[in-house]
Amino acid sequence: MTAQLVDVSIDRTSPVPLYHQLSEQLCAAITDGRLQPGDPFENEVALAQRLSLSRPTVRRAIQEMVDKGLLVRRRGLGTTVANRKVHRRVALSSLFDDLSREGRAPRTVLLEHDTVADADAAAALDLPSETPLLAIVRLRFAGDAPLAVMRNWLPPAYGDISRDELEATGLYAALRARGVHAVVAHQSIAARMPTPAERKHLRIRGTQPVLTMTRMAFDGAGDAVEYGDHSYRAEDYTIDLMVDER
């Protein structure tokens, strides 16, 4: 199969490095579907010649895309577009919203919806241990593919969030509909082996781990909004971090 050529515009007067201009435009071609998973990727030499760029510049751009998980290099097969992942920046966003923006047709199956007393979750929300919390467990799909098991606990003020609402939209959309906006959160990211239930729901076989994220979110007044403990199929999900020097 012949590699599809992507139109690229390089501005040599821009302060943005050439390799980054190239990488960003090629990443966009994958994100918006011009390049599909499994498609062969234009080789380094041909790309450099076509755009009148040096091979080190093109090589750095391609490596940046490999590091992001968008391209895969295989000996004897060349470079191909990787299986589609959700690339989520560390921000106060909803997975439902992220998938919708990418055109990934999010769908939710509600596994649990109950009022419980959970001392650990209450402590995370800075509430008394006996506080009745709305506990929900959702299985989130991207199209027909399971992506995440999402466990959340919410304070009593949001106990009216219904099953139908949670299956129709994202949790943060339900909170916004009530005038609630999370503005700050503490997140922890890790990896572990899946539980039997996660293996079943996420269709995991073998020794594949899950990527986990816990989040404690608060509104502008410092009041607890939600506590979440989510697990994701590691091969289909990445978290992007931007770091800078302070």
Side-chain angles (χ1 to χ4, degrees):
M1 185 182 297
T2 303
Q4 179 177 335
L5 304 186
V6 176
D7 290 334
V8 175
S9 177
I10 299 295
D11 183 0
R12 288 172 169 80
T13 66
S14 171
V16 179
L18 299 182
Y19 81 87
H20 191 65
Q21 292 185 47
L22 177 58
S23 173
E24 287 293 290
Q25 293 179 65
L26 294 174
C27 287
I30 294 174
T31 301
D32 64 24
R34 282 175 287 162
L35 294 176
Q36 291 290 314
D39 281 354
F41 192 77
E42 189 174 4
N43 71 64
E44 178 185 304
V45 174
L47 190 55
Q49 291 176 347
R50 180 165 70 89
L51 301 177
S52 298
L53 294 171
S54 69
R55 287 186 63 182
T57 294
V58 172
R59 186 178 303 120
R60 187 170 180 182
I62 291 175
Q63 186 60 51
E64 189 171 89
M65 298 175 70
V66 171
D67 292 343
K68 289 181 177 179
L70 295 175
L71 295 178
V72 177
R73 285 173 168 154
R74 293 189 175 94
R75 186 181 299 276
L77 297 177
T79 302
T80 59
V81 179
N83 288 335
R84 183 175 291 177
K85 292 188 177 185
V86 177
H87 289 264
R88 188 175 186 185
R89 298 187 183 277
V90 176
L92 275 174
S93 64
S94 157
L95 179 58
F96 188 96
D97 294 339
D98 292 339
L99 292 170
S100 296
R101 279 192 295 269
E102 295 183 3
R104 300 288 302 279
R107 180 169 62 89
T108 303
V109 173
L110 194 60
L111 303 177
E112 296 180 25
H113 181 280
D114 202 2
T115 300
V116 302
D118 186 301
D120 291 338
L125 294 169
D126 197 24
L127 295 171
S129 60
E130 68 277 8
T131 302
L133 306 174
L134 175 61
I136 59 175
V137 181
R138 294 165 294 160
L139 178 58
R140 176 64 45 78
F141 289 79
D144 294 326
L147 178 63
V149 175
M150 313 174 73
R151 306 168 188 83
N152 292 84
W153 294 262
L154 293 95
Y158 314 127
D160 65 325
I161 296 177
S162 69
R163 299 180 65 95
D164 289 345
E165 195 171 3
L166 290 167
E167 291 193 331
T169 188
L171 174 59
Y172 275 29
L175 290 170
R176 289 194 297 269
R178 290 160 174 76
V180 180
H181 298 273
V183 299
V184 65
H186 177 269
Q187 292 188 159
S188 297
I189 301 166
R192 58 169 170 77
M193 297 308 296
T195 66
E198 288 168 339
R199 286 184 180 277
K200 173 185 175 183
H201 292 309
L202 297 176
R203 303 172 192 168
I204 293 174
R205 296 183 179 180
T207 58
Q208 180 190 352
V210 290
L211 186 65
T212 66
M213 178 194 294
T214 60
R215 171 188 284 179
M216 292 168 283
F218 303 86
D219 63 18
D223 295 325
V225 172
E226 60 103 2
Y227 170 59
D229 182 6
H230 302 169
S231 56
Y232 305 84
R233 283 179 57 94
E235 67 176 2
D236 296 325
Y237 187 87
T238 62
I239 297 173
D240 295 332
L241 295 165
M242 178 67 73
V243 296
D244 58 15
E245 184 178 7
R246 295 294 183 182

